[in-house]
Amino acid sequence: MKAVVYSRTGGPEVLELVDRELPAVEAGEVRVQIAVSGVNPTDWKSRAGSGTSAEVDPEQVPNQDGAGVVDAIGLGVTRFAVGDRVWVRDSAFQRPTGTAAEYTVLPDHLVNPLPDGVSFDVGASLGIPALTAHRALTARESGPARLSPGSLLGTTVLVAGGAGAVGHAAIQLATWAGATVITTVSSPEKAGLAAAAGAHHIVNYRTEDVVARVKQLAPRGVEVIVEVNPLENMADDVAVIARGGTVAIYVSDEPDEIPVPARASMIKNVRLQFVLTYTTSEVEKANAVAAVTAAAAAGALEVGDDHGLPLVRFVLADTAAAHAAVEGGAVGKVLIDVAGL
């Protein structure tokens, strides 16, 4: 089989296309033939390392997310049969078996059924973005633990950066669950993407007063904020959040410290919830997987231009270029076509 690997951390140039033996399947494992691999910021950050080149042993296949078909199953696996369509998650987290390969072998709990009618493109876009968005939307103390149609009725959600992959998934999941969704964007073009994703109100933070506009749209405040840029937005978040609301933060950049308006946050009993989907609890992850799969089956997590998330495509041999595109801030979802299934 063909696989992309790296044996040292560094820039995209450390990625190499190699030939490998087809991996064996042990008890409790599933071998998946990957049709489409999704690329996320976490993938290039893991490949880049801490900034100083370091050896990686065993060599790593990158990329957490993907979709394809079950090729083989190990002893004791009863959830799947050969030929089943699936999406996978956390493939390269503390394991060398990412999705930038024609086949990957994973524990069966990391493999999920892909509902009938849901494309491999959608399946490869679910893992990191949608699971992160689900946790952010359910982090409020008085909110639902698992999203479903109507579970966010009466709730107003503010999604910062609605044109990004996580922001896009948060808009889609929140609207599917019945919330009123406000989102911020940086350009008219991104406003169009957020509208296509289903946002009810769109605020251009470069040309509008975000606090004034959000307070106009939600006079009692927003209950949940899905935050991509806390360093810049925290003061605004506290200004517009409702009493008892939650700011769910899923990105950290340098500098890592976030200034928080403490007294204003105390007065409103604001909760700050940091989100890293890899290390959420088993219950939280199970709820997210179930909800995301149901939303995908309902057609609520579609991707592509018409749904607010343009697709940027590469082939397996060009995985380095795919990583460079994500690192460079490509708008939309970067996908790698691995096998023509």
Side-chain angles (χ1 to χ4, degrees):
M1 72 171 196
K2 298 288 186 183
V4 171
V5 301
Y6 60 96
S7 57
R8 296 193 68 83
T9 57
E13 68 277 1
V14 302
L15 296 171
E16 180 184 8
L17 183 67
V18 300
D19 290 306
R20 278 183 160 187
E21 294 294 326
L22 199 64
V25 183
E26 304 294 338
E29 293 182 334
V30 177
R31 187 167 67 206
V32 178
Q33 185 178 12
I34 298 295
V36 181
S37 173
V39 188
N40 298 288
T42 186
D43 298 317
W44 74 258
K45 290 176 181 178
S46 296
R47 182 217 70 229
S50 61
T52 302
S53 182
E55 185 176 354
V56 177
D57 185 22
E59 63 185 10
Q60 177 73 48
V61 177
N63 300 358
Q64 303 288 347
D65 297 342
V69 298
V70 173
D71 177 72
I73 56 176
L75 185 67
V77 174
T78 59
R79 297 172 58 227
F80 300 104
V82 172
D84 285 353
R85 300 169 71 253
V86 296
W87 64 279
V88 301
R89 63 175 178 88
D90 300 348
S91 302
F93 179 60
Q94 298 180 340
R95 65 184 69 252
T97 52
T99 62
E102 291 178 329
Y103 296 85
T104 191
V105 174
L106 296 168
D108 72 331
H109 71 278
L110 298 181
V111 182
N112 311 287
L114 188 65
D116 292 342
V118 178
S119 70
F120 290 132
D121 288 352
V122 170
S125 305
L126 293 180
I128 297 296
L131 298 179
T132 298
H134 185 275
R135 177 58 191 141
L137 291 167
T138 57
R140 185 166 56 112
E141 186 174 15
S142 57
R146 179 185 298 184
L147 297 181
S148 60
S151 62
L152 291 180
L153 277 174
T155 301
T156 301
V157 172
L158 173 61
V159 178
V166 175
H168 176 265
I171 292 170
Q172 290 182 315
L173 284 171
T175 55
W176 174 68
T180 297
V181 180
I182 306 169
T183 191
T184 60
V185 297
S186 61
S187 69
E189 293 75 18
K190 290 183 178 180
L193 297 178
H200 300 98
H201 306 286
I202 301 165
V203 181
N204 186 328
Y205 64 81
R206 295 195 188 279
T207 61
E208 299 180 74
D209 183 323
V210 172
V211 171
R213 181 62 176 144
V214 173
K215 284 186 172 181
Q216 180 185 47
L217 293 168
R220 293 180 296 179
V222 299
E223 286 82 10
V224 178
I225 299 176
V226 182
E227 184 54 78
V228 67
N229 190 1
L231 188 64
E232 293 293 329
N233 296 339
M234 185 56 64
D236 287 355
D237 290 345
V238 174
V240 302
I241 201 163
R243 184 173 297 178
T246 294
V247 183
I249 300 166
Y250 65 90
V251 167
S252 176
D253 291 316
E254 297 298 335
D256 199 47
E257 296 81 8
I258 302 169
V260 178
R263 182 167 296 279
S265 299
M266 290 170 64
I267 290 170
K268 291 185 173 181
N269 277 274
V270 173
R271 168 183 287 194
L272 302 184
Q273 175 68 61
F274 293 87
V275 176
L276 181 64
T277 183
Y278 301 127
T279 54
T280 55
S281 73
E282 290 302 316
V283 171
E284 290 162 349
K285 185 60 70 70
N287 282 332
V289 169
V292 163
T293 301
L301 288 173
E302 293 297 315
V303 297
D305 289 344
D306 292 343
H307 304 283
L309 192 70
L311 300 180
V312 185
R313 311 196 78 97
F314 295 86
V315 297
L316 187 63
D318 292 331
T319 295
H323 272 227
V326 176
E327 189 169 355
V331 175
K333 183 65 182 180
V334 172
L335 298 177
I336 297 171
D337 292 311
V338 181
L341 299 177

